[in-house]
Coordinates of all heavy atoms in Angstrom, one line a residue:
M194 N 0.8 -1.2 0.0 CA 0.0 0.0 0.0 C 0.9 1.3 0.0 O 0.5 2.3 -0.6 CB -0.9 0.0 1.2 CG -2.0 0.9 1.3 SD -3.1 0.7 -0.1 CE -4.1 2.0 0.1
E195 N 2.0 1.1 0.8 CA 2.9 2.3 0.8 C 3.5 2.6 -0.6 O 3.7 3.8 -1.0 CB 4.0 2.0 1.8 CG 4.9 3.2 2.0 CD 5.9 3.0 3.2 OE1 5.6 2.2 4.1 OE2 6.9 3.5 3.0
K196 N 3.8 1.5 -1.4 CA 4.4 1.8 -2.8 C 3.3 2.4 -3.6 O 3.7 3.3 -4.4 CB 4.7 0.3 -3.3 CG 6.0 -0.2 -3.0 CD 6.2 -1.5 -3.7 CE 7.5 -2.0 -3.4 NZ 7.8 -3.3 -4.2
L197 N 2.1 2.1 -3.5 CA 1.0 2.7 -4.3 C 0.9 4.2 -3.9 O 0.7 5.0 -4.8 CB -0.3 2.0 -4.0 CG -1.5 2.4 -4.9 CD1 -1.2 2.3 -6.4 CD2 -2.8 1.7 -4.6
L198 N 1.0 4.5 -2.6 CA 0.9 5.9 -2.2 C 2.1 6.6 -2.8 O 1.9 7.8 -3.3 CB 0.9 5.9 -0.7 CG 0.8 7.4 -0.1 CD1 -0.5 8.1 -0.6 CD2 0.9 7.3 1.4
R199 N 3.3 6.1 -2.7 CA 4.5 6.7 -3.3 C 4.3 7.0 -4.7 O 4.6 8.1 -5.3 CB 5.7 6.0 -2.9 CG 6.2 6.1 -1.5 CD 7.4 5.3 -1.3 NE 7.8 5.3 0.1 CZ 8.9 4.7 0.6 NH1 9.6 4.0 -0.2 NH2 9.1 4.7 1.9
L200 N 3.9 5.9 -5.4 CA 3.7 6.1 -6.9 C 2.7 7.2 -7.2 O 2.8 8.0 -8.1 CB 3.3 4.7 -7.4 CG 3.0 4.7 -8.9 CD1 4.4 4.9 -9.7 CD2 2.6 3.3 -9.3
S201 N 1.6 7.2 -6.5 CA 0.6 8.2 -6.7 C 1.1 9.6 -6.5 O 0.9 10.5 -7.2 CB -0.6 8.0 -5.8 OG -1.2 6.8 -6.0
L202 N 1.9 9.8 -5.5 CA 2.5 11.1 -5.2 C 3.5 11.5 -6.3 O 3.6 12.7 -6.6 CB 3.2 11.1 -3.8 CG 2.3 11.0 -2.6 CD1 3.0 10.9 -1.4 CD2 1.4 12.3 -2.5
V203 N 4.2 10.6 -6.7 CA 5.2 10.9 -7.8 C 4.5 11.3 -9.1 O 4.8 12.2 -9.8 CB 6.1 9.7 -8.1 CG1 6.9 9.8 -9.4 CG2 7.1 9.5 -6.9
C204 N 3.4 10.5 -9.4 CA 2.7 10.8 -10.6 C 2.0 12.3 -10.5 O 2.0 13.0 -11.4 CB 1.5 9.8 -10.8 SG 2.2 8.2 -11.4
F205 N 1.5 12.6 -9.3 CA 0.9 13.9 -9.0 C 2.0 15.0 -9.2 O 1.7 16.0 -9.7 CB 0.2 13.9 -7.7 CG -0.3 15.3 -7.3 CD1 -1.4 15.7 -7.9 CD2 0.4 16.1 -6.5 CE1 -2.0 16.9 -7.6 CE2 -0.2 17.3 -6.1 CZ -1.3 17.8 -6.8
A206 N 3.1 14.7 -8.7 CA 4.3 15.7 -8.8 C 4.6 16.0 -10.2 O 4.9 17.1 -10.6 CB 5.5 15.3 -8.0
V207 N 4.6 14.9 -11.0 CA 5.0 15.1 -12.5 C 3.9 15.9 -13.2 O 4.2 16.7 -14.0 CB 5.2 13.7 -13.1 CG1 5.2 13.7 -14.6 CG2 6.4 13.0 -12.6
V208 N 2.7 15.6 -12.9 CA 1.6 16.4 -13.5 C 1.6 17.8 -13.1 O 1.5 18.7 -13.8 CB 0.2 15.7 -13.2 CG1 -0.9 16.5 -13.7 CG2 0.2 14.3 -13.9
A209 N 1.9 18.0 -11.8 CA 1.9 19.4 -11.2 C 3.1 20.2 -11.8 O 3.0 21.4 -12.1 CB 2.0 19.3 -9.7
C210 N 4.2 19.5 -12.0 CA 5.4 20.3 -12.6 C 5.2 20.5 -14.1 O 5.8 21.4 -14.6 CB 6.6 19.4 -12.4 SG 7.1 19.3 -10.6
A211 N 4.4 19.8 -14.8 CA 4.2 20.0 -16.2 C 3.3 21.1 -16.5 O 3.2 21.7 -17.6 CB 3.7 18.7 -16.9
A212 N 2.5 21.5 -15.5 CA 1.4 22.6 -15.7 C 2.1 23.9 -16.2 O 1.5 24.6 -16.9 CB 0.6 22.7 -14.5
P213 N 3.2 24.4 -15.5 CA 3.8 25.7 -16.0 C 4.2 25.6 -17.4 O 4.3 26.7 -18.1 CB 5.0 25.8 -15.0 CG 4.6 25.1 -13.8 CD 3.9 23.9 -14.3
A214 N 4.6 24.5 -18.0 CA 4.9 24.4 -19.4 C 3.8 24.8 -20.3 O 4.0 25.4 -21.3 CB 5.4 23.1 -19.7
F215 N 2.6 24.6 -19.9 CA 1.4 25.0 -20.7 C 1.1 26.5 -20.6 O 0.4 27.0 -21.5 CB 0.1 24.2 -20.2 CG 0.3 22.8 -20.5 CD1 0.1 21.8 -19.5 CD2 0.3 22.3 -21.9 CE1 0.3 20.5 -19.8 CE2 0.4 20.9 -22.1 CZ 0.3 20.0 -21.1
A216 N 1.7 27.1 -19.6 CA 1.5 28.6 -19.4 C 2.4 29.4 -20.3 O 2.2 30.6 -20.4 CB 1.6 29.0 -17.9
Q217 N 3.4 28.8 -20.9 CA 4.3 29.6 -21.7 C 3.6 30.1 -23.0 O 2.9 29.4 -23.6 CB 5.4 28.6 -22.2 CG 6.2 28.0 -21.1 CD 7.1 28.9 -20.3 OE1 7.5 29.9 -20.9 NE2 7.3 28.8 -19.0
P218 N 3.9 31.4 -23.2 CA 3.3 32.0 -24.5 C 4.0 31.5 -25.8 O 5.2 31.0 -25.7 CB 3.6 33.5 -24.4 CG 4.8 33.6 -23.5 CD 4.7 32.4 -22.5
G219 N 3.3 31.3 -26.8 CA 3.9 30.8 -28.0 C 2.9 30.8 -29.1 O 1.8 31.4 -29.1
E220 N 3.2 30.2 -30.3 CA 2.4 30.3 -31.5 C 1.1 29.4 -31.3 O 0.2 29.6 -32.0 CB 3.2 29.8 -32.6 CG 4.3 30.7 -33.0 CD 5.2 30.2 -34.1 OE1 4.8 29.2 -34.7 OE2 6.3 30.7 -34.3
A221 N 1.2 28.4 -30.4 CA 0.0 27.6 -30.3 C -1.1 28.2 -29.5 O -2.1 27.6 -29.3 CB 0.5 26.3 -29.5
D222 N -0.9 29.4 -29.0 CA -2.0 30.0 -28.2 C -3.3 30.2 -29.0 O -4.4 30.1 -28.5 CB -1.6 31.4 -27.7 CG -0.5 31.2 -26.6 OD1 -0.5 30.1 -26.0 OD2 0.1 32.2 -26.3
V223 N -3.1 30.4 -30.3 CA -4.3 30.6 -31.2 C -5.1 29.3 -31.3 O -6.3 29.3 -31.2 CB -3.8 31.0 -32.6 CG1 -5.1 31.1 -33.6 CG2 -3.1 32.4 -32.5
V224 N -4.5 28.2 -31.4 CA -5.1 26.9 -31.5 C -5.8 26.6 -30.2 O -6.9 26.1 -30.1 CB -4.1 25.8 -31.9 CG1 -4.7 24.4 -31.9 CG2 -3.5 26.1 -33.3
V225 N -5.1 26.8 -29.1 CA -5.6 26.5 -27.8 C -6.9 27.4 -27.4 O -7.8 26.9 -26.8 CB -4.6 26.6 -26.7 CG1 -5.2 26.5 -25.2 CG2 -3.5 25.7 -26.9
A226 N -6.8 28.6 -27.9 CA -7.9 29.5 -27.6 C -9.2 29.0 -28.3 O -10.3 29.3 -27.9 CB -7.6 30.9 -28.1
E227 N -9.1 28.3 -29.4 CA -10.2 27.9 -30.2 C -10.8 26.7 -29.6 O -12.0 26.4 -29.8 CB -9.8 27.5 -31.7 CG -9.4 28.9 -32.5 CD -9.0 28.5 -33.8 OE1 -9.0 27.3 -34.2 OE2 -8.5 29.4 -34.6
E228 N -10.1 25.9 -28.9 CA -10.6 24.7 -28.2 C -11.4 25.0 -27.0 O -11.0 26.0 -26.3 CB -9.4 23.8 -27.8 CG -8.7 23.2 -28.9 CD -7.6 22.2 -28.6 OE1 -7.7 21.7 -27.4 OE2 -6.8 21.9 -29.4
T229 N -12.4 24.3 -26.8 CA -13.2 24.6 -25.6 C -12.6 23.9 -24.4 O -11.8 23.0 -24.5 CB -14.7 24.0 -25.8 OG1 -14.5 22.6 -26.0 CG2 -15.3 24.7 -27.0
S230 N -13.1 24.2 -23.2 CA -12.5 23.7 -22.0 C -12.9 22.2 -21.9 O -12.2 21.4 -21.3 CB -13.1 24.4 -20.8 OG -14.4 24.4 -20.6
S231 N -14.1 21.8 -22.5 CA -14.4 20.4 -22.4 C -13.5 19.5 -23.3 O -13.2 18.4 -22.9 CB -15.9 20.3 -22.8 OG -16.0 20.6 -24.2
T232 N -13.0 20.1 -24.3 CA -12.1 19.3 -25.2 C -10.8 19.1 -24.4 O -10.2 18.0 -24.4 CB -11.8 20.1 -26.5 OG1 -13.0 20.3 -27.2 CG2 -10.9 19.3 -27.4
L233 N -10.3 20.1 -23.7 CA -9.1 20.1 -22.9 C -9.3 19.0 -21.8 O -8.4 18.3 -21.5 CB -8.7 21.4 -22.5 CG -8.2 22.4 -23.5 CD1 -8.0 23.7 -22.8 CD2 -7.0 21.9 -24.2
L234 N -10.4 19.0 -21.2 CA -10.7 18.1 -20.1 C -10.8 16.7 -20.6 O -10.3 15.8 -20.0 CB -12.0 18.5 -19.3 CG -12.0 19.7 -18.4 CD1 -13.3 20.0 -17.9 CD2 -10.9 19.4 -17.3
N235 N -11.4 16.5 -21.8 CA -11.4 15.2 -22.5 C -10.0 14.7 -22.7 O -9.6 13.5 -22.5 CB -12.1 15.2 -23.8 CG -13.6 15.4 -23.6 OD1 -14.2 15.1 -22.4 ND2 -14.3 15.7 -24.6
K236 N -9.1 15.5 -23.2 CA -7.7 15.1 -23.5 C -7.0 14.8 -22.1 O -6.2 13.9 -22.0 CB -6.9 16.3 -24.1 CG -7.4 16.4 -25.6 CD -6.6 17.5 -26.3 CE -7.1 17.6 -27.7 NZ -6.4 18.7 -28.4
L237 N -7.2 15.5 -21.1 CA -6.6 15.3 -19.8 C -7.1 14.0 -19.2 O -6.3 13.2 -18.7 CB -7.0 16.5 -18.8 CG -6.5 16.2 -17.3 CD1 -5.0 16.3 -17.4 CD2 -7.0 17.3 -16.4
G238 N -8.4 13.8 -19.3 CA -9.0 12.4 -18.8 C -8.5 11.3 -19.6 O -8.2 10.3 -19.1
A239 N -8.3 11.4 -20.9 CA -7.7 10.3 -21.8 C -6.3 10.1 -21.4 O -5.8 9.0 -21.3 CB -7.8 10.7 -23.3
S240 N -5.5 11.1 -21.1 CA -4.1 10.9 -20.8 C -4.0 10.3 -19.4 O -3.1 9.4 -19.2 CB -3.3 12.2 -20.9 OG -3.8 13.1 -19.9
V241 N -4.8 10.7 -18.5 CA -4.8 10.1 -17.1 C -5.2 8.6 -17.2 O -4.7 7.7 -16.7 CB -5.7 10.9 -16.1 CG1 -5.9 10.0 -14.9 CG2 -5.1 12.2 -15.8
G242 N -6.2 8.4 -18.0 CA -6.7 7.0 -18.2 C -5.7 6.1 -18.9 O -5.4 5.0 -18.4
A243 N -5.0 6.6 -19.9 CA -3.9 5.9 -20.5 C -2.8 5.5 -19.5 O -2.3 4.4 -19.5 CB -3.4 6.5 -21.7
G244 N -2.5 6.5 -18.6 CA -1.4 6.3 -17.7 C -1.9 5.1 -16.7 O -1.1 4.3 -16.3
L245 N -3.1 5.2 -16.2 CA -3.6 4.2 -15.2 C -3.6 2.8 -16.0 O -3.3 1.8 -15.3 CB -5.0 4.5 -14.8 CG -5.1 5.8 -13.8 CD1 -6.5 6.1 -13.5 CD2 -4.3 5.5 -12.6
I246 N -4.0 2.8 -17.2 CA -4.0 1.6 -17.9 C -2.6 0.9 -18.0 O -2.4 -0.2 -17.8 CB -4.5 1.7 -19.3 CG1 -6.0 2.1 -19.3 CG2 -4.3 0.5 -20.3 CD1 -6.6 2.6 -20.6
L247 N -1.6 1.7 -18.3 CA -0.3 1.2 -18.4 C 0.3 0.8 -17.0 O 1.0 -0.2 -17.0 CB 0.6 2.3 -19.0 CG 0.3 2.6 -20.6 CD1 1.2 3.7 -21.1 CD2 0.6 1.3 -21.3
I248 N -0.1 1.5 -16.0 CA 0.4 1.1 -14.7 C -0.2 -0.3 -14.4 O 0.5 -1.1 -13.8 CB 0.0 2.2 -13.6 CG1 0.9 3.5 -13.9 CG2 0.2 1.7 -12.2 CD1 0.5 4.6 -13.0
G249 N -1.5 -0.4 -14.6 CA -2.2 -1.7 -14.2 C -1.6 -2.8 -15.1 O -1.4 -3.9 -14.5
A250 N -1.3 -2.6 -16.3 CA -0.7 -3.6 -17.2 C 0.6 -4.0 -16.7 O 0.9 -5.2 -16.6 CB -0.8 -3.2 -18.6
G251 N 1.4 -3.0 -16.3 CA 2.8 -3.3 -15.8 C 2.7 -4.1 -14.5 O 3.6 -5.1 -14.4
L252 N 1.9 -3.7 -13.6 CA 1.7 -4.5 -12.4 C 1.3 -5.9 -12.6 O 1.7 -6.9 -12.1 CB 0.8 -3.7 -11.4 CG 1.3 -2.4 -10.9 CD1 0.2 -1.8 -10.1 CD2 2.5 -2.7 -10.0
G253 N 0.3 -6.1 -13.5 CA -0.3 -7.4 -13.8 C 0.7 -8.3 -14.4 O 1.0 -9.4 -14.0
I254 N 1.5 -7.8 -15.5 CA 2.5 -8.7 -16.2 C 3.6 -8.9 -15.2 O 4.2 -10.1 -15.2 CB 2.9 -8.0 -17.4 CG1 1.7 -8.0 -18.4 CG2 4.1 -8.7 -18.1 CD1 2.0 -7.3 -19.7
G255 N 4.0 -8.0 -14.3 CA 5.1 -8.2 -13.4 C 4.7 -9.2 -12.4 O 5.5 -10.1 -12.0
R256 N 3.5 -9.2 -11.9 CA 3.0 -10.2 -11.0 C 3.0 -11.6 -11.6 O 3.4 -12.6 -11.0 CB 1.7 -9.9 -10.4 CG 1.2 -10.8 -9.4 CD 0.1 -10.3 -8.6 NE -0.3 -11.4 -7.7 CZ -0.9 -11.3 -6.6 NH1 -1.2 -10.1 -6.2 NH2 -1.3 -12.3 -5.9
I257 N 2.5 -11.7 -12.9 CA 2.5 -13.0 -13.6 C 4.0 -13.5 -13.7 O 4.2 -14.6 -13.4 CB 1.9 -12.8 -14.9 CG1 0.4 -12.6 -14.9 CG2 2.1 -14.1 -15.8 CD1 -0.2 -12.2 -16.2
G258 N 4.8 -12.7 -14.1 CA 6.2 -13.1 -14.3 C 6.8 -13.6 -12.9 O 7.5 -14.6 -12.8
G259 N 6.6 -12.8 -11.9 CA 7.2 -13.2 -10.6 C 6.6 -14.5 -10.0 O 7.3 -15.3 -9.6
Q260 N 5.3 -14.6 -10.2 CA 4.6 -15.9 -9.8 C 5.1 -17.1 -10.6 O 5.2 -18.2 -10.1 CB 3.1 -15.8 -9.8 CG 2.5 -14.7 -8.8 CD 2.8 -15.1 -7.3 OE1 2.7 -16.2 -6.9 NE2 3.2 -14.0 -6.6
A261 N 5.3 -16.8 -11.8 CA 5.8 -17.9 -12.7 C 7.2 -18.4 -12.3 O 7.4 -19.6 -12.2 CB 5.7 -17.5 -14.2
V262 N 8.0 -17.5 -12.1 CA 9.4 -17.8 -11.6 C 9.4 -18.5 -10.3 O 10.1 -19.6 -10.1 CB 10.3 -16.6 -11.5 CG1 11.5 -16.9 -10.9 CG2 10.5 -16.0 -12.9
E263 N 8.4 -18.1 -9.3 CA 8.3 -18.8 -8.1 C 7.8 -20.2 -8.3 O 8.3 -21.1 -7.7 CB 7.3 -18.0 -7.2 CG 7.2 -18.5 -5.8 CD 6.3 -17.6 -4.9 OE1 6.3 -16.5 -5.2 OE2 5.6 -18.2 -4.1
G264 N 6.8 -20.4 -9.2 CA 6.2 -21.7 -9.4 C 7.3 -22.6 -10.0 O 7.3 -23.8 -9.7
I265 N 8.0 -22.1 -11.0 CA 9.1 -22.9 -11.7 C 10.2 -23.4 -10.6 O 10.6 -24.4 -10.6 CB 9.7 -22.2 -12.8 CG1 8.7 -22.1 -13.9 CG2 10.9 -22.9 -13.3 CD1 9.0 -21.1 -15.1
S266 N 10.5 -22.4 -9.7 CA 11.5 -22.8 -8.7 C 11.1 -23.8 -7.7 O 11.8 -24.6 -7.2 CB 12.0 -21.5 -8.0 OG 11.0 -21.0 -7.2
R267 N 9.8 -23.8 -7.5 CA 9.2 -24.9 -6.5 C 9.0 -26.2 -7.3 O 9.1 -27.2 -6.6 CB 7.8 -24.4 -6.0 CG 8.0 -23.3 -5.0 CD 6.6 -22.8 -4.4 NE 6.9 -21.7 -3.6 CZ 6.2 -21.5 -2.5 NH1 5.2 -22.3 -2.2 NH2 6.4 -20.4 -1.8
Q268 N 8.7 -26.1 -8.6 CA 8.4 -27.3 -9.3 C 9.0 -27.3 -10.7 O 8.3 -27.0 -11.7 CB 6.9 -27.5 -9.4 CG 6.4 -28.9 -9.3 CD 4.9 -28.9 -9.2 OE1 4.2 -27.9 -9.4 NE2 4.3 -30.1 -9.0
P269 N 10.3 -27.5 -10.8 CA 11.0 -27.4 -12.0 C 10.4 -28.2 -13.2 O 10.6 -27.9 -14.4 CB 12.5 -27.7 -11.7 CG 12.6 -27.6 -10.3 CD 11.2 -27.9 -9.7
E270 N 9.9 -29.4 -12.8 CA 9.4 -30.3 -13.9 C 8.2 -29.8 -14.6 O 7.8 -30.2 -15.7 CB 9.1 -31.7 -13.3 CG 8.0 -31.7 -12.2 CD 8.5 -31.5 -10.8 OE1 9.6 -31.2 -10.6 OE2 7.6 -31.5 -9.9
A271 N 7.5 -28.8 -14.0 CA 6.3 -28.1 -14.6 C 6.7 -26.8 -15.4 O 5.7 -26.1 -15.6 CB 5.2 -27.9 -13.5
A272 N 7.9 -26.6 -15.6 CA 8.3 -25.3 -16.1 C 7.7 -25.0 -17.5 O 7.2 -23.9 -17.8 CB 9.8 -25.3 -16.3
G273 N 7.6 -26.0 -18.3 CA 6.9 -25.8 -19.7 C 5.5 -25.4 -19.6 O 5.1 -24.5 -20.3
N274 N 4.8 -26.1 -18.7 CA 3.3 -25.7 -18.6 C 3.1 -24.3 -18.0 O 2.3 -23.5 -18.4 CB 2.6 -26.7 -17.7 CG 2.4 -28.1 -18.4 OD1 2.6 -28.2 -19.6 ND2 2.4 -29.1 -17.6
I275 N 4.0 -24.0 -17.0 CA 3.9 -22.7 -16.3 C 4.3 -21.6 -17.3 O 3.6 -20.6 -17.4 CB 4.9 -22.6 -15.1 CG1 4.3 -23.7 -14.0 CG2 5.0 -21.2 -14.5 CD1 5.2 -23.8 -12.8
Q276 N 5.4 -21.8 -18.1 CA 5.7 -20.8 -19.1 C 4.6 -20.6 -20.2 O 4.3 -19.4 -20.5 CB 7.0 -21.2 -19.7 CG 8.2 -21.1 -18.9 CD 9.5 -21.4 -19.5 OE1 9.4 -22.2 -20.6 NE2 10.6 -21.1 -18.9
T277 N 4.0 -21.7 -20.6 CA 2.9 -21.5 -21.6 C 1.8 -20.7 -21.0 O 1.2 -19.8 -21.7 CB 2.4 -22.9 -22.0 OG1 3.6 -23.6 -22.5 CG2 1.3 -22.8 -23.1
A278 N 1.3 -21.1 -19.8 CA 0.2 -20.3 -19.1 C 0.6 -18.9 -18.9 O -0.2 -18.0 -19.0 CB -0.1 -21.0 -17.8
M279 N 1.9 -18.6 -18.5 CA 2.3 -17.2 -18.3 C 2.2 -16.4 -19.6 O 1.8 -15.3 -19.6 CB 3.7 -17.3 -17.8 CG 4.3 -15.9 -17.5 SD 6.1 -15.9 -17.1 CE 6.8 -16.5 -18.6
I280 N 2.7 -17.0 -20.7 CA 2.7 -16.3 -22.0 C 1.3 -16.0 -22.5 O 1.0 -14.9 -22.9 CB 3.5 -17.0 -23.0 CG1 5.0 -17.0 -22.7 CG2 3.3 -16.5 -24.4 CD1 5.8 -18.0 -23.5
I281 N 0.4 -16.9 -22.3 CA -1.0 -16.7 -22.7 C -1.6 -15.6 -21.8 O -2.3 -14.7 -22.4 CB -1.8 -18.0 -22.6 CG1 -1.4 -19.0 -23.7 CG2 -3.3 -17.8 -22.7 CD1 -1.8 -20.4 -23.5
A282 N -1.4 -15.6 -20.5 CA -2.0 -14.6 -19.6 C -1.3 -13.3 -19.9 O -2.1 -12.2 -20.0 CB -1.7 -15.0 -18.2
A283 N -0.1 -13.2 -20.2 CA 0.5 -11.9 -20.5 C 0.0 -11.3 -21.9 O -0.2 -10.2 -22.0 CB 2.1 -12.0 -20.5
A284 N -0.2 -12.3 -22.8 CA -0.7 -11.8 -24.1 C -2.2 -11.3 -24.0 O -2.5 -10.2 -24.6 CB -0.7 -13.0 -25.1
L285 N -3.0 -12.0 -23.1 CA -4.3 -11.4 -22.9 C -4.4 -10.1 -22.2 O -5.1 -9.2 -22.6 CB -5.1 -12.5 -22.0 CG -5.5 -13.7 -22.8 CD1 -6.1 -14.7 -21.8 CD2 -6.4 -13.5 -23.9
I286 N -3.4 -9.8 -21.2 CA -3.4 -8.5 -20.5 C -2.9 -7.5 -21.6 O -3.4 -6.4 -21.6 CB -2.4 -8.7 -19.3 CG1 -3.0 -9.5 -18.2 CG2 -2.0 -7.3 -18.9 CD1 -2.1 -9.7 -17.0
E287 N -1.9 -7.8 -22.3 CA -1.4 -6.8 -23.4 C -2.5 -6.5 -24.4 O -2.6 -5.3 -24.8 CB -0.2 -7.4 -24.1 CG 1.1 -7.4 -23.2 CD 2.3 -7.8 -23.9 OE1 2.3 -8.0 -25.1 OE2 3.3 -8.1 -23.2
G288 N -3.3 -7.5 -24.7 CA -4.4 -7.2 -25.7 C -5.4 -6.3 -25.1 O -5.9 -5.3 -25.8
A289 N -5.8 -6.5 -23.9 CA -6.8 -5.6 -23.2 C -6.2 -4.3 -23.0 O -6.9 -3.3 -23.1 CB -7.2 -6.3 -21.9
T290 N -4.9 -4.2 -22.6 CA -4.2 -2.9 -22.5 C -4.2 -2.1 -23.8 O -4.5 -0.9 -23.8 CB -2.8 -3.1 -22.1 OG1 -2.8 -3.9 -20.8 CG2 -2.1 -1.8 -21.8
F291 N -3.9 -2.8 -24.9 CA -3.9 -2.1 -26.2 C -5.3 -1.6 -26.6 O -5.4 -0.5 -27.1 CB -3.4 -3.1 -27.3 CG -3.2 -2.5 -28.6 CD1 -2.2 -1.6 -28.9 CD2 -4.1 -2.8 -29.7 CE1 -2.1 -0.9 -30.1 CE2 -3.9 -2.3 -30.9 CZ -3.0 -1.3 -31.1
F292 N -6.3 -2.4 -26.4 CA -7.7 -2.0 -26.7 C -8.1 -0.8 -25.9 O -8.6 0.2 -26.4 CB -8.6 -3.2 -26.3 CG -10.1 -2.8 -26.6 CD1 -10.5 -2.6 -27.9 CD2 -10.9 -2.7 -25.5 CE1 -11.9 -2.3 -28.1 CE2 -12.2 -2.3 -25.7 CZ -12.7 -2.1 -27.0
A293 N -7.8 -0.8 -24.5 CA -8.0 0.3 -23.7 C -7.3 1.6 -24.1 O -7.8 2.7 -24.1 CB -7.8 0.0 -22.2
L294 N -6.0 1.5 -24.5 CA -5.2 2.7 -25.0 C -5.8 3.2 -26.3 O -5.9 4.5 -26.4 CB -3.8 2.3 -25.2 CG -3.0 2.1 -23.9 CD1 -1.6 1.5 -24.3 CD2 -2.8 3.4 -23.2
I295 N -6.3 2.4 -27.1 CA -6.9 2.8 -28.4 C -8.2 3.6 -28.1 O -8.5 4.7 -28.6 CB -7.2 1.7 -29.3 CG1 -5.9 1.1 -29.8 CG2 -8.0 2.2 -30.5 CD1 -5.0 2.0 -30.5
I296 N -9.0 3.2 -27.1 CA -10.2 3.9 -26.7 C -9.9 5.2 -26.1 O -10.5 6.2 -26.4 CB -11.0 3.0 -25.7 CG1 -11.5 1.7 -26.3 CG2 -12.1 3.7 -25.1 CD1 -12.4 1.9 -27.5
C297 N -8.8 5.3 -25.3 CA -8.4 6.6 -24.7 C -7.9 7.5 -25.8 O -8.1 8.7 -25.7 CB -7.3 6.3 -23.7 SG -7.9 5.8 -22.1
I298 N -7.2 7.0 -26.7 CA -6.7 7.9 -27.8 C -7.8 8.5 -28.6 O -7.8 9.6 -29.1 CB -5.6 7.1 -28.7 CG1 -4.4 6.9 -27.8 CG2 -5.3 7.9 -30.0 CD1 -3.3 6.0 -28.5
I299 N -8.8 7.6 -29.0 CA -9.9 8.0 -29.8 C -10.8 9.0 -29.1 O -11.2 10.0 -29.8 CB -10.8 6.8 -30.2 CG1 -10.0 5.9 -31.2 CG2 -12.1 7.2 -30.8 CD1 -10.6 4.6 -31.5
S300 N -10.9 8.9 -27.8 CA -11.9 9.9 -27.1 C -11.2 11.2 -26.8 O -10.3 11.6 -27.2 CB -12.3 9.3 -25.8 OG -11.2 9.1 -24.9

């Protein structure tokens, strides 16, 4: 739980530090002025959603890999079956992650 809290604080700090960069004057001000606040909120929501998706996928695949290595170390004769199941599960997680990222990019 403490790791999740630290990760959340780091993500918040990165987002908070990036905000002054948007305040810089430049040529893009004309384009930003034409966009409505709801469009900007949609983009912010999509980027936060994509970040959460990637964090969840990383944690899931990391846990699968760790548990697979632990299972293989306890029962080396089942290594082939464990590796096959691990690859299938990781592929399913990556597929769901890719689908969710596309949905975030489209919206």
